[in-house]
Amino acid sequence: SAKSMVLLSTQTASSSATISFTSGIDSTYKEYIFKFINIHPATNDAIFQFGFRDGSTAYDATKTSTYFYAQQHIIWDTGATLAYDTSRDLAQSTSPHKFTTNMANSTQSAGGNNTPGANFAGEFILYNPASTTYVKHWTSKYSYNFYLAGARNGFSAGYVNTTSAVNAIKFYSSSGNIEGTIKMWGIK
């Protein structure tokens, strides 16, 4: 049978500290997809990240994760990179998972090259968050402006190591506010 997507929530931030989904993540769906549209930090060189809530009020559920990326430089040189970044890994950590390295905000310029509309775009999938038997897996893929030096296509994945249900997720910047839209779908 074909899967169908049901739009559950759309949140748009014009200058917010966080975008949090605190309702709608439950046993109704086995899969939740989040789409990031024009996410950018208000502060230059900020990092876009997230944390899960598993029944408490804190977004500090224990995570294990991994990260790799493909990158094309445009300012420093014309080199390209494909790399596994161990500094982004989490191993049984309550720290936030970092989607990005330092992002340019939407008004920065460097090396005579203006980067209008610098932002982060992509998707994040959370699998079976209501399970009280298994860990909760997640995968993500996205693209963003790496500093002002080029384009980075990132891939990260991991799991929330708890048998408690994951009932909320918070997306936020390492410093300052964020702007943009995040949509959440449930998959039947």
Side-chain angles (χ1 to χ4, degrees):
S1 70
K3 291 184 177 183
S4 63
M5 294 177 66
V6 178
L7 181 60
L8 302 174
S9 181
T10 299
Q11 295 194 43
T12 300
S14 60
S15 185
S16 302
T18 67
I19 296 178
S20 299
F21 292 85
T22 59
S23 64
I25 301 175
D26 54 34
S27 61
T28 304
Y29 302 96
K30 296 291 186 189
E31 186 176 329
Y32 291 83
I33 296 178
F34 298 84
K35 298 278 188 174
F36 305 106
I37 303 159
N38 296 330
I39 302 293
H40 57 274
T43 304
N44 200 39
D45 290 338
I47 295 169
F48 187 53
Q49 57 195 4
F50 71 90
F52 294 106
R53 189 175 74 190
D54 61 351
S56 71
T57 57
Y59 290 86
D60 61 352
T62 302
K63 294 167 292 306
T64 295
S65 65
T66 187
Y67 172 82
F68 75 95
Y69 65 91
Q71 174 178 294
Q72 174 65 47
H73 297 166
I74 58 173
I75 291 178
W76 297 320
D77 56 46
T78 57
T81 305
L82 177 62
Y84 164 51
D85 186 348
T86 59
S87 72
R88 301 270 168 219
D89 286 355
L90 296 177
Q92 292 301 98
S93 177
T94 58
S95 296
H97 178 79
K98 298 174 181 175
F99 281 123
T100 69
T101 52
N102 306 71
M103 289 178 62
N105 71 19
S106 62
T107 60
Q108 294 298 307
S109 64
N113 294 326
N114 190 17
T115 308
N119 68 81
F120 174 96
E123 73 177 20
F124 175 92
I125 303 171
L126 176 61
Y127 300 93
N128 204 15
S131 173
T132 55
T133 303
Y134 302 105
V135 300
K136 275 54 78 182
H137 290 275
W138 56 269
T139 59
S140 58
K141 57 184 177 182
Y142 39 87
S143 176
Y144 69 97
N145 303 77
F146 171 61
Y147 288 100
L148 291 167
R152 181 171 281 190
N153 189 2
F155 301 87
S156 59
Y159 62 91
V160 186
N161 194 13
T162 180
T163 55
S164 297
V166 167
N167 62 357
I169 186 168
K170 175 173 75 171
F171 301 99
Y172 60 106
S173 180
S174 60
S175 64
N177 291 334
I178 57 173
E179 297 181 354
T181 299
I182 302 176
K183 294 179 176 272
M184 179 178 76
W185 280 270
I187 306 298
K188 287 192 173 197

